[in-house]
Amino acid sequence: MPELADNEPSRGVSAVTSGCLLLLVLMADVAAALLVVIVLTVRRLGRMDAGSGQTATSAPPLDWGPVLGFGGLALAVGVTAVVLLRIGPRVIGAVQLTLCVFLVVHALRFWP
């Protein structure tokens, strides 16, 4: 069994690898969240310009953009969390699951 002992990485190397993987996954999540926020902001600005011709008595149309945007982001983060829990370090998957729950709650806040 000396071959098995030679192939195992040291604890310090695996901790550094886990930390780098966590940082990369969190940076990807932040980039995706910024994309969703930018798209929703542009949509809201477009709706403000288009809504200037409406009368005060008419109800504004429902906007499903925030629900779909944050829901899609939560789905992507949740799938990443499940994959990381199955093949990667469990701590990173747990952080991803926490972010997924936060995004689902945020998406439900916009539910009409």
Side-chain angles (χ1 to χ4, degrees), residues 2-87:
E3 299 93 22
L4 184 61
D6 293 337
N7 289 338
E8 286 186 24
S10 67
R11 250 181 130 77
V13 172
S14 79
V16 170
T17 304
S18 296
C20 289
L21 183 62
L22 175 63
L23 184 64
L24 286 173
V25 168
L26 288 177
M27 284 176 33
D29 289 341
V30 167
L34 284 175
L35 180 66
V36 168
V37 167
I38 289 170
V39 167
L40 292 176
T41 302
V42 169
R43 282 178 47 100
R44 180 167 290 171
L45 288 175
R47 289 186 67 179
M48 287 173 57
D49 292 339
S52 60
Q54 291 182 350
T55 63
T57 59
S58 66
L62 292 176
D63 186 16
W64 287 95
V67 175
L68 294 177
F70 288 115
L73 185 60
L75 180 67
V77 170
V79 168
T80 305
V82 169
V83 168
L84 286 172
L85 282 172
R86 302 224 4 129
I87 64 170

